[in-house]
Amino acid sequence: MKVLFIGGGGFIGKTIIEKMVLNHECIVYDSNGDDSFTGFDTDKLKIYKGNMEEHENMHNVIERERPECIVHLVCNILPGSREDEVLKYMDLNMNSTLKLFEYMREFSVKKLVYI
């Protein structure tokens, strides 16, 4: 199965990818690009650098790779954020996720894991 990880450079994402790359074709779209995956056999991964808010870039990766499943690992908020920051990040996260849903429909991606 071809799996696209939106995010994935953090602890949870790297832990999942480390296991999944053994049996699946894994693609990562992460704001840190290759820098998040030092120590990984990056020959087994396709890594694209980009933010979820870069809608056109995310669209192009989904169009090019045509994944069967997307794992959504992005959250743009930190504990202890001020109220005005929380609202800004909620808007950012929700709008980007809605765009992702549009792209999934456009390219017939039927499986989503949202973490």
Side-chain angles (χ1 to χ4, degrees), residues 60-74:
N60 292 340
V61 169
I62 295 169
E63 181 178 32
R64 184 176 310 119
E65 294 298 337
R66 304 290 175 130
E68 298 165 71
C69 177
I70 294 178
V71 179
H72 184 315
L73 292 152
V74 176

Side-chain angles (χ1 to χ4, degrees), residues 63-89:
E63 181 178 32
R64 184 176 310 119
E65 294 298 337
R66 304 290 175 130
E68 298 165 71
C69 177
I70 294 178
V71 179
H72 184 315
L73 292 152
V74 176
C75 183
N76 293 317
I77 193 163
L78 298 172
S81 297
R82 294 187 328 259
E83 183 179 347
D84 60 326
E85 291 174 325
V86 170
L87 295 174
K88 178 182 89 173
Y89 287 123

Side-chain angles (χ1 to χ4, degrees), residues 5-89:
F5 292 85
I6 306 288
F11 175 77
I12 294 171
K14 287 195 270 188
T15 302
I16 295 169
I17 292 166
E18 182 178 36
K19 302 296 182 196
M20 290 206 50
V21 76
L22 299 174
N23 299 309
H24 301 282
E25 187 176 347
C26 295
I27 302 108
V28 179
Y29 180 74
D30 188 81
S31 60
N32 294 318
D34 292 358
D35 296 341
S36 293
F37 294 92
T38 54
F40 271 71
D41 182 359
T42 52
D43 291 339
K44 294 184 177 184
L45 291 173
K46 281 189 183 175
I47 301 172
Y48 294 91
K49 185 173 184 167
N51 291 315
M52 195 169 177
E53 306 84 52
E54 297 169 347
H55 298 150
E56 186 175 339
N57 195 21
M58 184 171 58
H59 179 273
N60 292 340
V61 169
I62 295 169
E63 181 178 32
R64 184 176 310 119
E65 294 298 337
R66 304 290 175 130
E68 298 165 71
C69 177
I70 294 178
V71 179
H72 184 315
L73 292 152
V74 176
C75 183
N76 293 317
I77 193 163
L78 298 172
S81 297
R82 294 187 328 259
E83 183 179 347
D84 60 326
E85 291 174 325
V86 170
L87 295 174
K88 178 182 89 173
Y89 287 123

